[in-house]
């Protein structure tokens, strides 16, 4: 499992090396609604832009302080030149926060290709399918113009196959976490998913395929403890995961765009490939920016909690994340009504580990007391 | 010609008396609740030091948060304008002036005449101002004057995320619990506050030279963090706290000249 | 007042504006007494559409409702505290927190309890808009709700599929509306409403373009009281008619050289909603002879504009002026969608460069000396990209001052610090306080 962490921690070296090795183009994406199928079809490597969890002082002139620390952390990476190897950047429409990281990047670190994909918000309307299909066609055309290569149906099939394989493998790993003693920790699962957003999926898939059997036979060298779920906004805070699991608990499942939301559903084959891809993104577990008029996440999250047999949920959000702030009171109420206690935490670029440890400990103590009675 | 500048700050009221371009006397008193009384007191002390009477002063200009509370001032100038004037008088090559006082931090950009081109001021948050260091010194159980020298002993940068003073205080407590040496925590505090101030500097855009004025510039740890963060040597006057009052005294001299 | 340079006169339409606004809120409240219907939605919603349900259907738009309460500091605070107590984050949109608070406390500022709508007809522009009413439904689960996505990209990239997506959602919504109200939908009324909306929003743009005159016939503080009708019910005939009256009066003021601010010597624009409880900021500016002649917010949120043959900005030519005859429901909806997607204030949601460009245009055509950017903690949607607007304007040579605040939550506005900032900005622009 070490490999996934190494990939995650050396993402820039990996991408630079990939470019050198393949001579291909690398594109940075800001949101997981970007259809990577089309990028793989074009032979372009998509890498997700994430922050570095270091305090920084370069974004103040660009993003007003009321927007989330995550979008500022992402932009800081661009302004500090850490992603200078990117040939292009792209975003699929989601929240206003991360959009600003993209637009400021577009203004101040221009790349040869920059694309804003108006991913519809009303994913619960059947009207979203033909609209997204038409936007995907425009995106495909723009990518073709950029790379100078036409994307054929066969290319799209290949792109879909790469993405679907990755999704299938990740689901298989998550299935293992249902076990009484999951063979991997939440932290390891986080590295696994995050590295998949940064590494060539073909390489990631091959390695994961090979590791899956080993993982399935692995005996954890630690007690599982309380089975927790973590859910909320973007979360690649490995320091928090490590701290929480060091307290004798295990995260067995999540609802994050850096976790299960990213790979949950697959492209279902259709003759019209772009329509098939469009349907996959419209039908995926929603980001709260798109989860209306119904809150489809409520039953989805509860289903995860039941199937993975969780005892409690940590509900986190990036500070100032309005879309999640608009869902969290409803989610907490719903989970608690259904017997899943919750702990709410607000994350910043760095979290005060000491304070958070006390809160997690208190939460675990509460769960243990419930066990007693 | 003798003129004076009175800078009624959030914490201290400072007076500078200027005689033909030379500083004759300075004084500072706590601003307290009654800013008018504080300005009277500071003025009297400065006049006393200069050995002159109120009538010898041709023009008095007030500046600072309480500038409208100075009963004997003939005119006022904003602290932004006065800060730039004072800094350029001391460092004619300065184009970016950073002024950090007790509760406010400012970054100013000016041209060679000292005219303000752009400025940024911290919002309703003390994380970018002097009182932040005071709170952190309290958490570290040391005197605020010790913060600077202590942090200079540190050779290790510990990251700290001071979006807010209260949050930062809890981070300091966490660091103490993690047995982080005090000098490294002091260093982290200065890096954090400098990071807030540097954000403002980036907002107006850094143009050399950089001058640091205001009470926090006495703190060598803060100065180091600013210089490291911006990768530039800063000009720090001997009495950074008085620069804005000096600027007001210079404005007063100009006004007196116009009147004459 | 010293240094009076120009004659001033109060606006004649003032009393009528006050009366119409009061009537709007009472009509909504009392709709059921006469067998009418009430609906709720945002100021940006497609308000022409419910007009097809009949002439006794009254809207309550949420943002101006929030602003109305925000003028009353005590009530606003009470509402926001109720919302916070219910577990919602304090950094959310302040209009929204006020609105929910009004439901939680069951208080209507025009007397009585919160008048529940018969249905919700909302669109989704920022991260909060559709979810605003999702929470209303958490509080009042029985209210039927329909919401429309308009985020199809900037207007200059508009195409058939984009219009169709929005139009189809509306057409589905009309069927839904018939079902939940049990009323028969009248396409003729829809067509009339779409025409009224084009007329009112184009006329408002015309009024704003009259403010290019020196001295400005209107100051922004007064414009707020007039612009609000576009946010209340832009597709209402009475709004379109009233705007024509206002336009005639403002034209007359320009012809006679009547100024809004008699000592005008410095022309500014602001940006985003102001801190409503602190409109005295504008009075303070007047002491420098500084007048805010508008903003992209007052001009372009309910005003629909176009570039004229001479390259300047003016009111958009309506379909009626172009001789287009609207015959069917589908055609009316498509025209309405296309018209709304051209809204200037909608463009910057996609990229700050669009807003910087429009502000620079206003700076030049409205002959400005500076720009005041309100970093508004109360509204993500209009603050999005604002820091880049600042950089862009400075690069384009426009002096900019920023100040932080909140349109609805006065706890986030620092009056003393803001006035001090204005002093420094005016000093840097070379203007002296006149009184």
């Amino acid at each position: 499992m070490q490999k996934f962490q190494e990939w995650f921690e050396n993402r820039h070296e990996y991408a630079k090396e990939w470019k050198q090795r393949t001579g291909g183009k690398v594109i940075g994406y800001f949101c997981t609604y970007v259809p990577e199928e089309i990028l793989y079809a074009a032979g372009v490597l998509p890498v997700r832009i994430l922050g570095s969890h270091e305090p920084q002082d370069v974004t103040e002139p660009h993003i007003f302080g009321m927007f989330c620390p995550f979008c500022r952390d992402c932009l800081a990476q661009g302004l500090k030149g850490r992603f200078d190897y990117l040939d292009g950047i792209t975003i699929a429409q989601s929240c206003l926060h991360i959009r600003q990281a993209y637009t400021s990047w577009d203004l101040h670190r221009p790349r040869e290709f920059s694309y804003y994909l108006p991913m519809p918000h009303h994913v619960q309307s059947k009207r979203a399918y033909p609209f997204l299909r038409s936007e995907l066609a425009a995106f495909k055309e723009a990518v073709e113009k950029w790379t100078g290569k036409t994307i054929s149906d066969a290319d799209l099939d290949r792109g879909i196959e790469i993405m679907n394989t990755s999704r299938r493998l990740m689901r298989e790993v998550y299935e293992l976490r249902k076990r009484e003693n999951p063979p991997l920790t939440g932290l390891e699962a986080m590295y696994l998913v995050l590295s998949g957003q940064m590494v060539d999926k073909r390489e990631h898939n091959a390695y994961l395929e090979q590791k899956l059997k080993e993982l399935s036979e692995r005996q954890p060298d630690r007690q599982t403890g309380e089975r927790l779920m973590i859910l909320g906004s973007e979360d690649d805070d490995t320091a928090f995961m490590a701290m929480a699991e060091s307290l004798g608990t295990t995260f067995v499942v999540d609802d994050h765009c850096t976790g299960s939301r990213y790979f949950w559903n697959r492209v279902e084959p259709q003759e019209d490939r772009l329509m098939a891809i469009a349907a996959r993104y419209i039908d995926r577990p929603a980001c709260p920016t798109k989860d209306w008029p119904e809150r489809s996440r409520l039953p989805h999250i509860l289903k995860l909690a039941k199937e993975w047999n969780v005892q409690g949920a940590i509900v986190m959000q990036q500070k100032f994340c309005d879309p999640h702030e608009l869902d969290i009171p409803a989610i907490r109420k719903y989970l608690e009504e259904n017997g899943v206690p919750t702990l709410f935490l607000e994350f910043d670029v760095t979290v005060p580990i000491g304070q958070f440890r006390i809160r997690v400990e208190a939460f675990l103590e509460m769960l243990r007391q419930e066990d007693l009675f | 010609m003798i003129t004076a500048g009175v800078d009624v700050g959030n914490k201290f009221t400072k007076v500078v008396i200027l005689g033909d371009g030379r500083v004759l006397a300075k004084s500072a008193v706590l601003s307290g609740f009654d800013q008018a009384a504080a300005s009277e007191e500071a003025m009297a002390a400065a006049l006393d030091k200069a050995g002159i009477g109120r009538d010898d002063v041709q023009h008095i200009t007030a500046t600072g948060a309480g500038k409208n509370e100075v009963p004997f001032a003939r005119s006022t100038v904003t602290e932004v304008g006065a800060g730039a004037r004072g800094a350029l008088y001391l460092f004619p090559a300065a184009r970016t002036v950073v002024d950090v006082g007790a509760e406010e931090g400012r970054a100013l950009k000016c041209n060679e005449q000292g005219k303000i081109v752009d400025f940024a001021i911290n919002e309703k948050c003390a994380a970018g101002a002097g009182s932040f260091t005071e709170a952190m010194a309290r958490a570290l159980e040391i005197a605020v004057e010790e913060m600077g020298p202590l942090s200079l002993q540190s050779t290790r940068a510990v990251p700290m995320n001071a979006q807010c003073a209260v949050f930062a205080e809890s981070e300091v407590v966490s660091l103490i619990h993690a047995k982080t040496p005090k000098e490294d925590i002091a260093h982290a505090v200065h890096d954090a506050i400098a990071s807030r101030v540097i954000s403002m500097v980036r907002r107006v855009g850094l143009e050399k030279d950089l001058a640091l004025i205001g009470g926090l510039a006495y703190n060598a740890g803060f100065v180091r963090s600013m210089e490291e963060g911006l990768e530039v040597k800063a000009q720090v006057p001997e009495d950074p706290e008085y620069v804005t009052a000096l600027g007001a005294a210079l404005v007063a001299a100009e006004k007196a000249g116009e009147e004459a | 007042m010293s240094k009076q340079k120009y004659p001033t006169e109060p606006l004649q339409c003032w009393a009528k504006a006050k009366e119409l606004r009061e009537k709007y809120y009472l009509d909504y409240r009392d709709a059921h007494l006469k067998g009418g219907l009430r609906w709720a939605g945002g100021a940006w919603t497609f308000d022409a559409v419910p007009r097809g349900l009949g002439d006794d259907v009254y809207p309550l738009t949420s943002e101006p409702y929030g602003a109305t309460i925000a003028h009353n500091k005590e009530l606003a605070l009470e509402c926001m505290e109720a919302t916070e107590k219910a577990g919602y984050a304090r950094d959310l949109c302040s209009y929204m927190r006020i609105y929910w608070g009004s439901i939680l406390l069951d208080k209507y500022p025009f007397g009585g309890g919160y008048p529940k709508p018969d249905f919700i007809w909302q669109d989704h522009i920022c991260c909060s808009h559709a979810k605003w009413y999702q929470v209303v439904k958490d509080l009042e689960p029985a209210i039927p709700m329909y919401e429309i996505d308009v985020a199809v990209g900037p207007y200059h990239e508009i195409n058939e599929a984009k219009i169709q997506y929005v139009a189809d959602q509306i057409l589905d919504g009309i069927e839904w509306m018939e079902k939940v109200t049990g009323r028969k939908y009248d396409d003729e009324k829809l067509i009339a409403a779409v025409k009224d909306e084009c007329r009112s929003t184009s006329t408002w743009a015309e009024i704003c373009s009259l403010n290019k005159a020196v001295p400005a016939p209107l100051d922004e503080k007064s414009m707020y009281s007039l612009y609000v009708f576009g946010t209340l019910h832009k597709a209402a005939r009475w709004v379109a008619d009233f705007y024509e009256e206002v336009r005639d009066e403002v034209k007359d003021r320009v012809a006679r050289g009547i100024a809004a601010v008699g000592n005008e010597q410095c022309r500014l624009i602001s940006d985003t909603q102001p801190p409503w409880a602190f409109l005295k900021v504008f009075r303070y500016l007047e002491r420098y002879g500084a007048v805010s002649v508008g903003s992209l917010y007052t001009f372009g949120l309910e005003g629909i504009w176009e570039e004229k043959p001479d390259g300047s900005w003016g009111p958009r030519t309506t379909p009626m002026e172009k001789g287009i005859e609207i015959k069917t429901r589908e055609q009316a909806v498509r025209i309405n969608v296309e018209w709304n997607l051209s809204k200037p204030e909608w463009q910057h949601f996609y990229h700050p460069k669009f807003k910087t460009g429009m502000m620079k245009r206003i700076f030049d055509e409205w002959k400005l000396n500076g720009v005041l950017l309100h970093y508004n903690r109360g509204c993500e949607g209009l603050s999005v990209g604002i820091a880049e607007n600042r950089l862009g304007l400075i690069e384009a040579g426009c002096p900019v001052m920023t100040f932080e605040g909140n349109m609805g939550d006065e706890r986030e506005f620092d009056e003393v610090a803001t006035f001090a900032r204005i002093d420094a900005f005016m000093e840097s622009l070379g203007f002296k306080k006149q009184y």
Side-chain angles (χ1 to χ4, degrees), chain B residues 78 115 118 123-124 203, chain C residues 390 402 404 411 427-428:
Chain B
T78 64
K115 191 180 173 312
D118 197 7
E123 298 297 340
K124 289 167 75 181
R203 201 158 140 180
Chain C
R390 176 185 166 277
T402 65
E404 249 185 53
R411 294 169 295 186
E427 200 174 87
S428 76

Side-chain angles (χ1 to χ4, degrees), chain A residues 59-67 75 93-97 99-100 102-108 116 118-131 134-135 287-296 317 319-323 325-327 329-330 333 346, chain C residues 86-93 96 100 124-128 130-132 134-135 137-138 145-149 151-154 157 159 161-162 164-165 168-169 171-172 349-353 374-381 383-388 390-391 404-405:
Chain A
T59 57
E60 158 70 21
H62 304 283
I63 301 182
F64 174 23
M66 71 180 276
F67 292 94
L75 176 61
Q93 180 166 266
S94 53
C95 70
L96 297 180
H97 299 244
R99 190 176 301 177
Q100 291 178 101
Y102 165 76
T103 52
S104 287
W105 198 308
D106 180 59
L107 285 169
H108 304 286
Y116 181 97
M119 169 74 205
H121 290 305
H122 200 177
V123 293
Q124 294 176 21
S125 163
K126 62 178 189 278
R127 307 299 183 178
Y129 298 98
F131 170 61
S134 119
E135 290 298 335
C287 165
T289 55
K290 302 182 190 302
D291 204 25
W292 52 266
E294 298 305 320
R295 278 204 184 83
S296 69
Q317 63 159 93
K319 199 178 168 76
F320 305 133
C321 172
D322 296 46
E325 284 174 350
L326 282 153
D327 273 355
K333 183 165 170 266
E346 195 177 72
Chain C
Y88 294 95
R90 188 168 154 172
D91 57 276
L92 286 169
C93 162
M96 187 164 74
W100 298 338
H124 189 61
I125 48 171
C126 65
C127 296
S128 304
K131 302 191 78 77
W132 179 322
Q134 204 170 32
V135 174
K137 252 183 94 71
D138 288 340
M145 174 168 81
Y146 194 90
E147 299 182 312
I148 294 159
D149 178 18
V152 295
E157 290 171 7
N159 62 32
K162 291 172 194 272
Q164 200 59 45
Y165 170 53
D168 280 342
Q169 292 175 74
L171 292 167
D172 292 345
F349 280 77
Y350 302 104
H351 206 300
K353 66 185 177 191
H374 178 208
Y375 278 35
N376 182 354
R377 287 192 170 266
C379 178
E380 265 194 359
S383 296
V384 74
I386 196 164
E388 290 293 355
R390 176 185 166 277
L391 290 175
E404 249 185 53

